[in-house]
């Protein structure tokens, strides 16, 4: 599986050389793509002499987003890694990020930890010279082996994505010009598409930080940040960081069961970990349905099932505490498309909608119902997922 590494350059040749040498030392199965944004310090001549690099030359600085999109267009790998040229990668950096990227199909993008970043990716370091970097990085990787953190935001200094995800949500939005907020925008689109973002704790990269952008002539970082923050707000209709970190609505999956031992495990496996709680009301099983259900949730109840059919549904509704309820059949299995839609809705709806379409699974429509709007049975068995 090949990873296309896309790097932008605008002068700063010594940093670019360090970055490329570290990639060659610590990386396997990759292609290198460097997009130069109008360098005047000999960077282009240097790049032309590198036989292992695909080089694209711009006559002027088109900005981070546009340059990255050009690199994406030249790439061939199943994975795309956007990497700043003011970084130095260390042992196992890419292997460990790829492991996390593919160990769960919900994951769309990942990033490493570093010495310099905003947000969740910066970790304390003990080295003060680059000569001490490798020793620190190896120790950090060993101490954090196999660890990752689910986050809402990844910073673009080193961002690894599945090609299929970028084909679905699109590349960077070029309205953000020289840079900043285009990575926030990409992360929000990934979240809204139902993907999970993760920081890989056992992948460490040294980051000098703003090395290129700070050296632009007549450049004002504070002004650029303010301009792009406003652009993001205009695009999304609200402060983008408020949207990224918006509290997720809570979801209760409710299920009525009876003699479901042959189908229940597959049904519950498909929703386990995606809902905030599962409410299972059994109406008199004679097999091991109840015992099986209790291995998934403590919210298992026995209801006589006598009276109106809606009585058991009402009882399940009364036990639920989530803001929204999804009715799920005991023989229904949620597919990946439905799970992605559920994850997306948890982060995107504002909690005022009484009913939200969830999926159209095999011709059977499914919805989420706001609990505060009152009890509502699915219109038919098929409308519950």
């Amino acid at each position: 599986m090949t990873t296309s590494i896309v790097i932008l350059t605008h002068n700063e040749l010594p940093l670019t050389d360090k970055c490329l040498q570290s990639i060659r030392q610590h990386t396997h199965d990759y292609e290198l793509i460097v997009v130069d944004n109008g360098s005047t310090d000999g960077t282009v001549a240097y790049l032309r002499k590198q036989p292992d690099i695909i080089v694209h030359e711009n006559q002027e600085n088109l900005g981070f987003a546009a340059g990255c999109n050009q690199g994406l267009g030249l790439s061939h790998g199943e994975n795309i890694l956007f990497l700043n040229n003011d970084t130095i990668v260390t042992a196992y950096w890419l292997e460990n990020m790829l492991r996390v990227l593919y160990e769960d199909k919900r994951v769309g993008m990942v990033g490493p930890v570093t010495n310099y970043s905003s947000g969740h990716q910066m970790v304390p370091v003990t080295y003060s010279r680059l000569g001490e970097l490798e020793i620190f990085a190896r120790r950090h990787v060993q101490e954090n082996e196999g660890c990752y953190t689910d986050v809402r935001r990844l910073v673009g200094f080193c961002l690894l994505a599945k090609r299929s995800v970028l084909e679905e949500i699109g590349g960077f939005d070029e309205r953000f010009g020289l840079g900043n907020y285009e990575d926030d925008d990409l992360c929000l689109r990934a979240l809204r598409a139902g993907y999970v973002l993760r920081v890989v704790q056992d992948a460490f990269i040294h980051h000098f930080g703003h090395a290129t952008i700070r050296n632009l002539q007549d450049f004002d970082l504070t002004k650029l940040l303010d301009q792009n923050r406003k652009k993001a707000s205009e695009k999304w209709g609200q402060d983008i960081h408020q949207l990224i970190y918006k509290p997720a609505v809570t979801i209760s999956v409710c299920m009525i069961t009876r003699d479901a031992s042959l189908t229940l495990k597959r049904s519950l496996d498909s929703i386990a970990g995606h809902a905030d709680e599962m409410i299972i009301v059994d109406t008199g099983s004679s097999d091991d349905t109840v015992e099986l259900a209790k291995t998934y949730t403590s919210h298992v109840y026995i209801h006589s099932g006598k009276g109106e059919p809606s009585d058991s549904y009402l009882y399940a509704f009364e036990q639920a505490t989530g803001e929204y309820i999804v009715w799920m059949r005991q023989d229904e299995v949620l597919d990946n498309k439905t799970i992605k839609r559920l994850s997306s809705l948890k982060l995107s709806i504002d909690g005022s909608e009484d009913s939200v379409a969830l999926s159209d699974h095999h011709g059977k429509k499914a919805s989420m119902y706001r609990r505060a709007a009152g009890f509502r049975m699915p219109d038919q068995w098929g409308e519950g997922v």
Side-chain angles (χ1 to χ4, degrees):
M1 182 182 297
T2 300
T3 298
S4 299
I5 302 175
V6 177
I7 299 174
L8 268 60
T9 55
H10 179 77
N11 298 324
E12 305 300 331
L13 176 56
L15 291 180
T16 300
D17 181 64
K18 286 185 174 66
C19 177
L20 295 175
Q21 294 304 327
S22 70
I23 292 171
R24 292 167 177 146
Q25 179 181 353
H26 295 299
T27 318
H28 305 282
D29 197 5
Y30 65 95
E31 69 172 0
L32 272 173
I33 300 167
V34 178
V35 176
D36 185 79
N37 266 336
S39 291
T40 58
D41 67 344
T43 291
V44 174
Y46 163 85
L47 292 173
R48 290 173 178 171
K49 296 178 182 179
Q50 310 301 310
D52 60 339
I53 298 179
I54 300 170
V55 181
H56 180 83
E57 303 172 21
N58 292 320
Q59 297 305 307
E60 59 182 349
N61 191 347
L62 300 183
F64 184 82
C68 284
N69 288 342
Q70 288 177 327
L72 175 61
L74 294 170
S75 67
H76 304 91
E78 295 90 337
N79 314 298
I80 312 297
L81 193 150
F82 301 104
L83 182 68
N84 282 13
N85 69 325
D86 63 341
T87 58
I88 298 176
V89 306
T90 64
Y92 309 111
W93 73 294
L94 184 55
E95 297 98 314
N96 290 347
M97 285 198 292
L98 285 171
R99 183 199 72 240
V100 175
L101 186 66
Y102 281 95
E103 65 186 6
D104 187 329
K105 61 186 177 183
R106 299 175 302 159
V107 178
M109 302 192 302
V110 301
V113 293
T114 184
N115 62 299
Y116 184 93
S117 175
S118 62
H120 315 277
Q121 292 173 258
M122 189 168 73
V123 296
V125 301
T126 57
Y127 66 91
S128 56
R129 297 177 299 174
L130 290 181
E132 303 166 341
L133 170 60
E134 292 290 342
I135 295 175
F136 169 84
R138 288 183 180 274
R139 184 173 65 250
H140 179 86
V141 167
Q142 291 173 356
E143 292 174 349
N144 293 274
E145 183 178 1
C147 297
Y148 61 80
T149 305
D150 285 0
V151 298
R152 301 277 191 90
R153 175 177 178 260
L154 294 168
V155 182
F157 75 95
C158 180
L159 183 63
L160 176 64
K162 298 172 182 173
R163 175 183 291 276
S164 59
V165 172
L166 296 177
E167 289 175 345
E168 178 182 345
I169 69 174
F172 288 107
D173 189 332
E174 298 181 15
R175 79 181 68 197
F176 295 105
L178 290 177
N180 288 293
Y181 282 91
E182 72 288 317
D183 46 3
D184 296 309
D185 176 83
L186 187 70
C187 289
L188 183 54
R189 282 186 276 134
L191 293 170
R192 290 288 179 93
Y195 289 104
V196 172
L197 313 181
R198 285 179 175 167
V199 172
V200 183
Q201 300 293 339
D202 59 354
F204 182 86
I205 290 178
H206 178 80
H207 185 206
F208 290 96
H210 294 303
T212 297
I213 206 165
R214 288 186 187 279
N215 288 321
L216 295 177
Q217 191 173 17
D218 300 323
F219 172 75
D220 186 332
L221 178 59
T222 301
K223 183 178 179 180
L224 178 64
L225 287 169
D226 184 61
Q227 289 175 342
N228 283 355
R229 178 184 59 80
K230 292 178 180 177
K231 289 179 181 179
S233 296
E234 291 170 358
K235 174 179 179 177
W236 291 97
Q238 188 176 338
D239 180 84
I240 192 170
H241 289 153
Q242 291 181 8
L243 293 174
I244 289 174
Y245 292 109
K246 185 186 82 67
V249 299
T250 55
I251 294 176
S252 300
V253 166
C254 295
M255 181 185 293
I256 309 301
T257 61
R258 185 168 185 173
D259 294 333
S261 60
L262 296 180
T263 62
L264 188 61
K265 185 178 188 304
R266 290 185 66 238
S267 294
L268 296 183
D269 280 343
S270 72
I271 189 61
H274 303 293
D276 297 280
E277 66 178 3
M278 290 187 284
I279 306 295
I280 298 177
V281 174
D282 190 81
T283 59
S285 292
S286 58
D287 59 10
D288 62 349
T289 294
V290 172
E291 290 71 20
L292 178 59
K294 287 181 178 179
T295 65
Y296 287 85
T297 175
S298 60
H299 302 291
V300 180
Y301 306 92
I302 308 300
H303 191 264
S304 66
K306 297 178 181 179
E308 294 295 324
S310 62
D311 289 352
S312 296
Y313 286 87
L314 176 59
Y315 184 79
F317 173 85
E318 291 172 343
Q319 312 311 312
T321 62
E323 295 172 78
Y324 281 83
I325 290 177
V326 174
W327 294 105
M328 186 171 176
R329 299 191 313 176
Q330 65 181 21
D331 62 348
E332 191 76 32
V333 176
L334 296 182
D335 59 14
N336 187 51
K337 181 178 180 180
T338 305
I339 288 295
K340 284 178 58 183
R341 173 68 172 162
L342 184 67
S343 299
S344 172
L345 287 171
K346 290 180 70 174
L347 297 177
S348 59
I349 63 176
D350 63 15
S352 63
E353 301 90 337
D354 288 345
S355 178
V356 185
L358 181 59
S359 70
D360 189 343
H361 188 46
H362 301 302
K364 299 173 181 179
K365 294 182 179 179
S367 298
M368 296 182 353
Y369 303 109
R370 189 165 66 97
R371 188 170 59 87
F375 172 62
R376 177 177 175 181
M377 278 185 61
D379 294 339
Q380 54 181 341
W381 259 113
E383 184 163 353
V385 178

